[in-house]
Amino acid sequence: MPMCGIVGYVGPRDVSTVVLAGLSRLEYRGYDSAGMAVSGENGIERSREVGKVADLVRMLEANPLKGKQGIGHTRWATHGGVTVENAHPHCNSSSSVVLVHNGIIENYTELRESLLSEGVTFSSQTDTEVAAQLLGKIYSGDPKQALIELYRRITGAFALAVMFADDDDHIYCIRKGSPLIVALGDGETLCASDVPAVLEYTRRIVYMGEGEMACLSREGASFWDSEGNPLDKDVVEVDWDLSMVEKGGYPHFMLKEINEQGAVMRQTLTGRTEGEQVDLSKELSWTADWARSIKRVHLVACGTSFYAASVAERVIGLFTDLDVRVDIASEYRYRSIPIGEDTLAVFVSQSGETLDTLAAERFAKEKGARCLAITNNGLSSIAREVDDVLLLKAGPEIGVAATKTFTGQMAVLYLMALYLAKLRGSLKETDEQRLLREMTSMPYKIEALLENSDTVKLMAEKYSLARDFLFLGRGFSFPIALEGALKLKEISYIHAEAYAAGEMKHGPIALLDRAVPVVVVMPDDELWEKTLSNVQETKARKSPVIAITTVGRESYLKDVEDLLSVPATEPELTPFLTVIPLQMFAYYVALARGTEIDQPRNLAKSVTVE
Ligand code: F6R
């Protein structure tokens, strides 16, 4: 399974309670079915249910599972539809082995055929059951050897947590490609796809590396590599606490995270600016000689992170003469473009686990590019493979739709762009001072904007029944229009498209009529008047216009249906403000439509499939 959440627990507490609580904290990773298995006096017992973790909880309340240890899973389907049979955990035919899986087993078709020819019967369509059946065949009493052999035989990306029926004191783990952590408590040990699942019990974490395996018991965990050599792993004390992964009085994580954006911006600047100067020398290994030697910058990312990178492309273009381009990660490897030692390749990924972005990073690295990761997870796969890392410091983002990490990404990318330009000697001191001064006051402006949420809410309610939306913007506002449309699509399921405002007349204008609201992102910058012409074109086709503009510009927009003003700022920094009403708009439209805001259908937080 691609994203999915895995939890395992061995210890004295009620196993079901711990596993289910962990699963609900990992539900952002996938939520079309859930299941758990325990092992204890009655051997292995398993419960699975289609739907959310809450559905599994209800089922277990009626038929509790009791055991000494347990593993659980919340699924985002790839191989095989959303059915109970395809839900995890999966067993082999004799139920001597049970496991949960996050990732994709790429050679599952050939393995399945060979197992079928040996007489194995399958009860699901999943790639995961193939691993369970194969492990059942391989296992002959030595779990460690069996896991090493399984690792040798399966290809693809996988994080597995495994229990054997003849051993109810140990959970075994394998990690390749998909994330997996081991958490060390006092007389109890857990494994999970991500930290929020374990924070209630401990903050002592071991991040499993590629090709590593582990054996968990109440006393702790031992680790070995794919050859069986023992590993001495570092224990990291994470500085997150439980309140960071709880809603803190907000009805949804998304609203909480939208409201945290001022703080995220402050946090991002801390330690990176000195007066009105940017200084990333503590975090980056770049020298002025190297910065002057490069010719190009490639920014590579997916989804919302791609839009943050698209804003950065424009910033870097403003302050350097570098050849800068931005690419969607899943396309980057398939283009024939110059990449080499003269290239800085920047990978923007909130999770640091997006497989498309990771694959693009490996590609650029192989070509000799110097790679930088901009991520919220310093221990993620991408962060561990690059030459340099800049952290977002946004704290955990649980809502599936990215909000505060978008702001964090833009803030880090701006600092990175200014620092690079400075090292190259192309940044004017006046520009540096002007922009840093303004970035420092940005958190207050963001917070002031957030206080206006009632206006956005009323507006959102008014348009919540629309079937299609168009979003327009020019220059810095084009990526923001794209992000506004993506947010609306993701959580309200309304069809929304974004165009560079100047492109509207080249086709999309044919869609306009009074049923299609058009959101125009038009802060006060040098393109304002050009965008104003697009507003007129839109009005002439009877579409209602929702304009996002800067305070002071309202009088020019008297004939638009709805207007939201953001505080004045430097033209290059408008994205930090214009995105806020768009996030809130999407949130309140979704609220009015009654959709699942934090866990939109078909989506998952980190996408570890290509
Ligand atoms: C949108 C969203 C996705 C992610 C994309 C990349 O709200 O969350 O579009 O931005 O899947 O994820 P990361 O940044 O983790 O690489």
Side-chain angles (χ1 to χ4, degrees), residues 35 38-39 147 157 189 254 328 376 381 461 478 496 501 531 550 556 587:
V38 296
S39 71
L147 293 188
T189 309
M254 183 177 177
I328 290 175
N376 204 24
S381 306
E461 282 163 3
F478 175 38
T531 313
T550 305
Y556 299 89
Y587 175 81

Side-chain angles (χ1 to χ4, degrees), residues 35-58:
M36 69 173 285
V38 296
S39 71
E41 274 168 23
N42 305 332
I44 288 176
E45 291 180 289
R46 180 170 63 144
S47 261
R48 299 175 294 168
E49 182 63 304
V50 165
K52 302 231 167 184
V53 175
D55 298 306
L56 180 67
V57 171
R58 268 190 291 279

